[in-house]
């Protein structure tokens, strides 16, 4: 589903109408489910009252992206929310995974050739196993990413990008493991023809 207020607002002379018309919202929902039907058809994909013993797997993904000034040549930003849930019946019992991500990105065009970005992302990644013998598999990791970057464009021929990525990951249960990663990333891309390009990547990581 995509909502574009710009197509509905006829008059953009008012400040509030002009501001609202710059928003764009994309939403999507995907559900994949397999369970024992018990001799009847399951027509409702949103049915949640399913016994664990009848479930084979259940995958769901819900995503929202909010854009502002998406087509602007000066600046813009976007906010993304993505939630994924998976449940599956394994040999050792029912296992569930959840990933919830919220991110934001700001884009500023300094001129026709230089663009700068700043991205922030927070991810909660968890796994839960019902069988007590496999509790050591469980985790609940909080991940935070910060990434400023700078790109230089030479028309459509080549692009040079430099970025710094700070990653902080911490398990909030069991041994409370933590990892902090600093990365310097460089990329050069050269377009030979309309469908051919050469890309050179390099990175330095300190964990």
């Amino acid at each position: 589903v995509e909502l574009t207020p710009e197509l509905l607002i006829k008059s953009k002379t008012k400040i509030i109408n002009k501001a609202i018309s710059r928003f764009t919202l994309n939403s999507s929902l995907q559900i994949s489910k397999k369970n024992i039907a018990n001799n009847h058809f399951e027509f409702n994909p949103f049915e949640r009252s399913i016994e664990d013993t009848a479930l084979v797997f259940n995958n769901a993904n819900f995503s929202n992206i909010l854009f502002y000034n998406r087509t602007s040549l000066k600046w813009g930003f976007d906010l993304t929310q993505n939630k994924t849930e998976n449940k599956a019946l394994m040999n050792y019992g029912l296992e569930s995974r959840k990933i919830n991500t919220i991110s934001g990105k700001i884009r500023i065009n300094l001129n026709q050739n230089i663009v700068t970005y700043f991205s922030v992302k927070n991810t909660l990644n968890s796994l839960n196993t019902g069988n007590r013998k496999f509790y050591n598999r469980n985790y609940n990791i909080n991940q935070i990413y910060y990434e400023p970057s700078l790109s230089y464009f030479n028309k459509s021929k080549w692009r040079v990008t430099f970025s710094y990525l700070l990653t902080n990951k911490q398990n909030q249960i069991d041994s409370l493991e933590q990892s902090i990663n600093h990365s310097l990333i460089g990329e050069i891309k050269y377009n030979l023809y309309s469908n051919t390009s050469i890309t050179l990547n390099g990175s330095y990581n300190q964990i």
Side-chain angles (χ1 to χ4, degrees), residues 62-66 79-84 100-103:
F62 182 55
S63 176
N64 296 290
I65 306 176
L66 179 65
L79 300 174
T80 303
Q81 185 269 339
N82 189 78
K83 186 175 183 179
T84 301
N100 190 10
T101 301
I102 298 176
S103 63

Side-chain angles (χ1 to χ4, degrees), residues 2-30:
E2 179 173 333
L3 299 178
T4 308
E6 184 178 9
L7 302 178
L8 302 176
I9 298 177
K10 297 181 180 180
S11 176
K12 299 179 184 178
T13 56
K14 296 182 179 180
I15 297 178
I16 186 170
N17 289 352
K18 187 176 181 180
I20 294 176
S21 66
R22 295 182 178 180
F23 282 99
T24 303
L25 176 64
N26 289 336
S27 296
S28 64
L29 174 64
Q30 296 179 348

Side-chain angles (χ1 to χ4, degrees), residues 67-85:
F67 299 96
Y68 186 79
N69 265 1
R70 185 179 185 179
T71 58
S72 173
L73 299 179
K74 294 183 179 180
W75 69 278
F77 70 85
D78 60 79
L79 300 174
T80 303
Q81 185 269 339
N82 189 78
K83 186 175 183 179
T84 301
E85 294 186 5

Side-chain angles (χ1 to χ4, degrees), residues 23-40:
F23 282 99
T24 303
L25 176 64
N26 289 336
S27 296
S28 64
L29 174 64
Q30 296 179 348
I31 297 177
S32 177
K33 181 177 65 174
K34 183 179 182 180
N35 59 280
I36 300 175
N38 295 325
N39 298 322
H40 65 275

Side-chain angles (χ1 to χ4, degrees), residues 70-205:
R70 185 179 185 179
T71 58
S72 173
L73 299 179
K74 294 183 179 180
W75 69 278
F77 70 85
D78 60 79
L79 300 174
T80 303
Q81 185 269 339
N82 189 78
K83 186 175 183 179
T84 301
E85 294 186 5
N86 302 317
K87 284 186 178 181
L89 184 62
M90 314 297 287
N91 294 332
Y92 46 83
L94 190 67
E95 183 177 270
S96 63
R97 300 172 184 263
K98 294 182 180 180
I99 301 177
N100 190 10
T101 301
I102 298 176
S103 63
K105 179 187 288 187
I106 299 175
R107 168 185 56 85
I108 300 176
N109 295 38
L110 300 180
N111 55 43
Q112 293 182 350
N113 303 104
I114 302 176
V115 181
T116 181
Y117 300 90
F118 182 74
S119 303
V120 179
K121 182 169 69 172
N122 178 235
T123 299
L124 296 176
N125 187 359
S126 64
L127 181 143
N128 184 33
T129 303
N131 193 327
R132 293 183 179 181
K133 295 182 179 180
F134 294 89
Y135 275 0
N136 59 342
R137 288 175 48 82
N138 296 348
Y139 56 79
N140 186 14
I141 302 176
N142 184 21
Q143 308 174 49
I144 302 177
Y145 304 84
Y146 301 96
E147 184 178 14
S149 64
L150 183 69
S151 296
Y152 177 81
F153 299 86
N154 184 1
K155 299 180 180 180
S156 60
K157 291 185 178 180
W158 55 279
R159 180 190 67 196
V160 180
T161 302
F162 295 100
S163 63
Y164 165 73
L165 176 62
L166 172 62
T167 306
N168 188 347
K169 300 180 181 180
Q170 183 172 12
N171 189 8
Q172 298 179 337
I173 62 174
D174 197 23
S175 301
L176 303 177
E177 303 94 330
Q178 185 178 16
S179 170
I180 299 178
N181 184 24
H182 302 269
S183 301
L184 294 175
I185 305 170
E187 179 183 278
I188 300 175
K189 184 176 181 180
Y190 182 74
N191 297 317
L192 297 175
Y193 305 102
S194 59
N195 57 353
T196 305
S197 63
I198 299 175
T199 303
L200 177 64
N201 294 301
S203 64
Y204 173 78
N205 296 279

